[in-house]
Amino acid sequence: MELIQDTPDLAAYLAADDAIDHEHPVVRRTVAMLSADAPDAYAYAEAAFTFVRDAIPHSVDSGDPRVTWRASDVLEKRTGICYAKSHALVALLRARGIPAALCYQKFEAVHGLIALKLPGRERWVRQDARGGEAGAGAQFRLDREQLAFAVRPEFNEVDYPVLFAEPHPAVLQCLRDAVDRLRLAQLLPTAL
């Protein structure tokens, strides 16, 4: 699948916003911790991926009722659904100068993941830091994708090819409107 930037300006994939608040002190502290054992962008990207996948439980798997949407909140509270975990991973990557995008898949509901563009590489590579039992197969890979879920076109599942510089408005709205995870389940977008 050919991935398509929603904006041609690569600088947009390094920017901060309300959800990708990579200048926040919590994000910066996490970047410093992860950078200590990561001598280059490749090692850092893998460390950031592994940290978000493994150290931040997916709230559905853990039963945590809290809804997070800002990267700093995800990192501080150590909880979030796929969208929120993607916001955290994108913030960690952008804080180190690695272009990162948000992207999505459609199953029964829309699933969030990310793409990154490492130095010296021509193409974007999608990664899925969902983690937990349902996403246990997701691995940080640069040679091929190893996402949490593979789409099945025969069931009308879709890999959306667009790489968003900011969270999709439907995704961000459902996160902001949900008072808890049970309400969030009712608000999840079923398509983009």
Side-chain angles (χ1 to χ4, degrees), residues 16-39:
D17 61 30
D18 284 346
I20 314 297
D21 58 343
H22 64 69
E23 296 172 0
H24 191 282
V26 171
V27 177
R28 292 299 182 173
R29 280 194 299 275
T30 307
V31 169
M33 177 200 61
L34 295 170
S35 294
D37 294 324

Side-chain angles (χ1 to χ4, degrees), residues 66-144:
R66 297 174 295 171
V67 175
T68 54
W69 59 273
R70 281 190 178 94
S72 58
D73 289 340
V74 175
L75 295 171
E76 185 172 43
K77 295 177 181 175
R78 298 284 174 104
T79 190
I81 66 166
C82 59
Y83 310 140
K85 290 179 64 140
S86 293
H87 297 171
L89 181 52
V90 165
L92 292 172
L93 294 169
R94 289 181 183 183
R96 272 290 300 261
I98 300 169
L102 297 155
C103 44
Y104 304 93
Q105 297 173 304
K106 176 193 172 291
F107 298 102
E108 287 182 20
V110 173
H111 173 62
L113 52 152
I114 72 116
L116 59 94
K117 192 169 188 179
L118 286 165
R121 294 208 169 233
E122 290 294 317
R123 64 183 191 90
W124 290 88
V125 181
R126 293 190 309 167
Q127 306 290 335
D128 190 346
R130 184 209 186 279
E133 192 171 318
Q139 300 294 320
F140 184 84
R141 307 266 326 220
L142 300 175
D143 58 336
R144 64 178 173 83

Side-chain angles (χ1 to χ4, degrees), residues 41-58:
Y42 293 84
Y44 176 80
E46 184 171 11
F49 168 87
T50 303
F51 176 79
V52 172
R53 185 193 62 193
D54 298 348
I56 301 171
H58 190 285

Side-chain angles (χ1 to χ4, degrees), residues 134-158:
Q139 300 294 320
F140 184 84
R141 307 266 326 220
L142 300 175
D143 58 336
R144 64 178 173 83
E145 290 184 346
Q146 191 165 342
L147 307 176
F149 308 107
V151 300
R152 300 167 300 176
E154 66 272 19
F155 293 106
N156 294 320
E157 297 173 350
V158 177

